[in-house]
């Protein structure tokens, strides 16, 4: 067993020079500008709703997110979002559009298995853990905030 | 059997070859050699699973029609693919109604089915055996990675699963392509865990099978006009070459990889490091390389199909990737004499 671990370590070192690293700096730059642009579009939609419809700063978030989600789902359906994501990486994964894409893509993928068992069961395949850990961490943070506000 | 290498003494020959693929492979460097090209990933079917079955059916029919055979002229079907429960093979075999074995050996299925088919023919147990292999990009992505339209960035070491199928009809009657030897691989696991870097994981398995083959037959790489690996891609190929060099085998220019023959990663950046999947070695070898062997442009080739026997479940359980490689020697023979 020890010999095996040794030869594996040796192999890992040996192939290092052959391995292509992810272009991290380039990826960061792309994620920054694409992610920023998505947020800029979101801000534009928000301003538009506030100016032309009867929304306040508190109520405008809902329709803005809904619009972004709709755009993202359409782009996913037309097969464009994954191409944007290959370029942008985290830039298109982090905003709410990435969440919408994860659900829409899973739904499309499992369409062949039917409405209930296919789409219904698999839609949260990727997004499920975001929701689980989002809710759980929100609960913990909420408790901390409450504790602070209580003692201070 | 010489350690791991079989010698087929009585004569196993390739009677016919059939291949099918999608548009992307059709537009690639060897597109003109593929028998039938489908316009999209659906191949006229409702979903991708059916599409893969259609690809396999098309390849087998192309293979048989060239000899004017029907299903009933075949003694045995051996088939393999990448899917869970090898559904493309099993559900296609349902249509054929022949004695059948399905094989799961991941992307090494092409040479695994050809090896076993050769054993049946050489042993005199069957006269005509079909060895069929298929893979589908959409099916493989769903099973091993993420939904196709999911926006996840792939690293440069990723490979692109070939959508296609290949079939060979093997017989004991003399033709221009003879199968002389096959080397059955052992599982090699060098502790790699990244499913987006199959080349690095599979290279040691390919090298292991090649070295064993050279030792078993006491031959040098120069014995062959061409040695190809299945889908090591631009990352794994130089690693494999280096591993052989360390053992004193210089592959030189006679070495290539099917994943770099079927696509040109320099022209088509969408395939990243190169092609992969069962159909990668099957389509490239059956359509392109064996055509050259048939015409005598290549006298003797050694095809080593590489497979990563991973499962997404095992990867999540932090298991390393077990890999395997099976090799088959194809030789040009003059028909008369």
């Amino acid at each position: 067993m020890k010999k095996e671990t040794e030869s594996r370590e040796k192999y890992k070192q040996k192939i290092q020079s052959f391995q292509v690293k992810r272009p991290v700096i380039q990826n960061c730059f792309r994620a920054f500008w694409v992610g920023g642009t998505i947020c800029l579009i979101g801000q534009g939609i928000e301003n538009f709703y506030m100016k032309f419809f009867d929304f306040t700063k508190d109520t405008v978030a809902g329709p803005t997110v809904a619009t972004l989600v709709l755009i993202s789902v359409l782009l996913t359906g037309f097969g464009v979002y994954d191409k944007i994501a290959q370029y942008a990486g985290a830039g298109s994964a982090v905003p709410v559009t990435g969440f919408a894409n994860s659900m829409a893509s899973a739904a499309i993928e499992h369409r062949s298995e039917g409405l209930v068992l296919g789409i219904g069961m698999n839609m949260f395949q990727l997004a499920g853990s975001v929701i689980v850990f989002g809710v759980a961490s929100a609960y913990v943070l909420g408790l901390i905030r409450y504790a602070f506000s209580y003692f201070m | 059997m010489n350690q791991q290498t079989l010698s087929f003494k009585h004569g196993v020959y390739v009677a016919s070859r059939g291949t099918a693929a999608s548009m992307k492979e059709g537009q690639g460097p060897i597109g003109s050699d593929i028998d039938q090209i489908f316009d999209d990933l659906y191949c006229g079917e409702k979903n991708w699973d059916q599409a893969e079955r259609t690809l396999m059916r098309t390849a087998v029919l192309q293979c048989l029609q060239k000899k004017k055979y029907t299903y009933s002229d075949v003694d045995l079907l051996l088939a393999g693919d990448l899917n869970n429960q090898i559904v493309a093979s099993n559900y296609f075999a349902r249509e054929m109604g022949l004695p059948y074995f399905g094989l799961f050996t991941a992307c090494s299925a092409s040479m695994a089915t050809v090896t076993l088919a050769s054993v049946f023919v050489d042993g005199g147990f069957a006269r005509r055996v079909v060895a069929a292999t298929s893979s589908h990009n959409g099916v493989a992505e769903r099973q091993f990675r993420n939904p196709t339209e999911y926006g996840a960035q792939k690293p440069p070491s990723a490979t692109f699963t070939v959508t296609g199928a290949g079939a060979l009809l093997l017989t004991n009657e003399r033709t221009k392509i003879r199968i002389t030897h096959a080397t059955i691989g052992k599982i090699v696991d060098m502790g790699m865990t990244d499913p987006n870097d199959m080349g690095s994981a599979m290279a040691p398995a390919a090298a292991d099978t090649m070295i064993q083959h050279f030792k078993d037959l006491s031959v040098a790489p120069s014995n062959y006009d061409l040695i190809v690996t299945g889908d090591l891609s631009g990352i794994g190929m130089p690693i494999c070459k280096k591993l052989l060099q360390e053992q004193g085998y210089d592959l030189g220019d006679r070495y290539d990889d099917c994943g770099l023959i079927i696509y040109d990663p320099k022209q088509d950046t969408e395939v990243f490091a190169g092609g992969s999947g069962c159909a990668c070695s099957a389509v490239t070898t059956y359509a392109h390389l064996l055509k050259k062997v048939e015409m005598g442009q290549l006298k003797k080739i050694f095809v080593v199909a590489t497979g990563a026997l991973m499962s997404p479940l095992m990867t999540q359980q932090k298991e390393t990737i077990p890999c395997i490689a099976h090799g088959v020697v194809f030789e040009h023979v003059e028909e008369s004499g």
Side-chain angles (χ1 to χ4, degrees):
Chain A
M1 202 60 204
K2 198 178 165 228
K3 205 178 157 200
E4 197 184 11
T5 329
E6 247 172 52
S7 73
R8 284 181 172 186
E9 277 308 313
K10 245 189 186 163
Y11 179 66
K12 260 181 207 155
Q13 283 167 8
K14 200 188 298 177
I15 62 169
Q16 249 168 23
S17 61
F18 292 101
Q19 252 145 9
V20 188
K21 296 213 167 51
R22 284 179 190 249
V24 177
I25 292 173
Q26 183 192 314
N27 283 354
C28 287
F29 174 73
R30 287 176 171 182
F32 178 77
W33 89 258
V34 177
T37 307
I38 292 173
C39 296
L40 189 70
I41 294 167
Q43 188 61 49
I45 295 170
E46 199 169 290
N47 290 355
F48 172 82
Y49 281 150
M50 283 204 289
K51 189 154 187 204
F52 293 98
F53 296 96
D54 193 17
F55 288 112
T56 65
K57 222 169 182 171
D58 294 326
T59 57
V60 77
T64 305
V65 169
T67 312
L68 282 173
V69 165
L70 180 71
I71 295 171
S72 167
V73 169
L74 285 175
L75 287 176
T76 305
F78 288 122
V80 182
Y81 203 89
D82 60 325
K83 300 217 162 54
I84 299 173
Q86 181 56 39
Y87 176 85
S92 61
V94 174
V96 70
T97 49
F99 189 78
N101 163 256
S102 76
M103 288 178 67
S105 62
I108 295 169
E109 194 79 7
H110 294 277
R111 185 179 59 173
S112 69
E113 294 142 65
L115 205 58
V116 177
L117 297 178
I119 296 177
M121 271 178 68
N122 290 296
M123 209 161 164
F124 287 91
Q125 192 185 37
L126 297 151
S129 69
V130 179
I131 291 175
V132 170
F133 290 103
V135 171
S137 58
Y139 176 74
V140 172
L141 285 172
L143 279 183
I144 294 170
R145 183 168 180 265
Y146 180 74
F148 268 94
S149 64
Y150 188 80
F151 290 115
M152 287 204 286
Chain B
M1 191 159 169
N2 203 337
Q3 294 270 357
Q4 284 167 245
T5 304
L6 311 169
S7 300
F8 302 118
K9 298 261 159 50
H10 304 292
V12 182
Y13 299 89
V14 176
S16 184
R17 309 172 280 117
T19 43
S22 80
M23 196 63 139
K24 194 178 182 64
E25 292 73 28
Q27 287 165 346
I30 61 161
S32 57
D33 288 338
I34 300 168
D35 292 324
Q36 193 166 336
I37 302 293
F38 288 94
D39 290 338
D40 61 10
L41 285 180
Y42 284 97
C43 308
E45 299 290 345
K46 276 208 294 276
N47 58 51
W48 287 335
D49 306 272
Q50 288 177 9
E52 184 171 351
R53 214 179 306 157
T54 298
L55 284 164
M56 193 181 258
R57 183 189 311 118
T58 310
V60 171
L61 284 175
Q62 286 282 355
C63 176
L64 295 179
Q65 276 161 6
K66 284 178 191 167
K67 287 270 150 191
K68 302 212 163 45
Y69 288 149
T70 59
Y71 286 168
S72 56
D73 293 308
V74 179
D75 298 329
L76 174 70
L77 169 69
L78 297 166
D81 59 80
L82 269 179
N83 311 340
N84 284 339
Q85 290 86 39
I86 46 170
V87 286
S89 307
N90 289 344
Y91 284 64
F92 165 67
R94 177 176 69 179
E95 297 167 21
M96 262 185 106
L98 290 174
Y100 157 74
F101 278 128
L103 292 169
F104 184 86
T105 61
C107 307
S108 64
S110 57
M111 290 309 119
T113 50
V114 168
T115 302
L116 277 178
S118 304
V119 170
F120 276 99
V121 172
D122 196 62
F125 299 106
R127 272 185 317 137
R128 298 191 196 110
V129 184
V130 168
T133 311
S134 70
S135 62
H136 189 290
N137 187 279
V139 179
E141 286 289 314
R142 181 184 65 201
Q143 182 166 320
F144 292 101
R145 298 178 192 102
N146 290 316
T148 330
E149 298 302 334
Y150 178 57
Q153 195 173 38
K154 287 188 177 171
S157 61
T159 48
F160 189 90
T161 306
V162 171
T163 302
L168 283 190
L169 176 66
L170 303 188
T171 156
N172 52 7
E173 289 155 25
R174 199 183 166 99
T175 67
K176 282 186 179 172
I177 309 167
R178 180 173 179 176
I179 296 174
T180 57
H181 298 91
T183 302
I184 303 168
K186 285 187 298 209
I187 297 225
V188 177
D189 184 345
M190 292 308 280
M192 306 308 285
T193 50
D194 184 1
N196 272 319
D197 183 10
M198 290 300 186
S200 302
M202 295 189 295
D208 186 75
T209 300
M210 281 190 207
I211 292 166
Q212 189 66 45
H213 177 86
F214 297 141
K215 276 186 188 159
D216 284 352
L217 298 177
S218 317
V219 292
S222 57
N223 195 38
Y224 301 99
D225 290 343
L226 181 69
I227 295 168
V228 288
T229 42
D231 50 1
L232 291 188
S233 78
I235 309 282
M237 194 181 144
I239 297 176
C240 180
K241 206 168 174 176
K242 187 182 168 168
L243 291 174
L244 273 129
Q245 213 157 27
E246 284 175 356
Q247 298 292 319
Y249 295 100
D250 184 19
L251 295 178
D253 294 337
R254 64 189 78 246
Y255 174 43
D256 211 338
D257 186 72
C258 294
L260 302 172
I261 299 175
I262 194 159
Y263 300 130
D264 185 355
K266 285 198 190 78
Q267 298 284 324
D268 185 357
T269 50
E270 218 185 8
V271 304
F272 305 100
S276 66
C278 294
C280 182
S281 56
V283 172
T284 308
T285 307
Y286 305 169
H288 180 65
L289 299 177
L290 289 187
K291 186 183 169 195
K292 286 190 167 181
V293 174
E294 193 168 8
M295 286 158 64
Q297 290 171 348
L298 292 169
K299 295 280 182 237
K300 204 172 187 183
I301 64 169
F302 184 33
V303 182
V304 183
T306 39
L309 303 169
M310 47 129 13
S311 132
L313 190 73
M314 294 299 116
T315 305
Q316 279 164 0
Q317 290 179 358
K318 307 279 180 285
E319 285 278 357
T320 53
I321 303 171
C323 298
I324 199 157
H326 302 296
V328 174
V329 178
F330 297 91
E331 204 179 271
H332 173 80
V333 281
E334 294 303 329
E335 206 148 20
S336 58

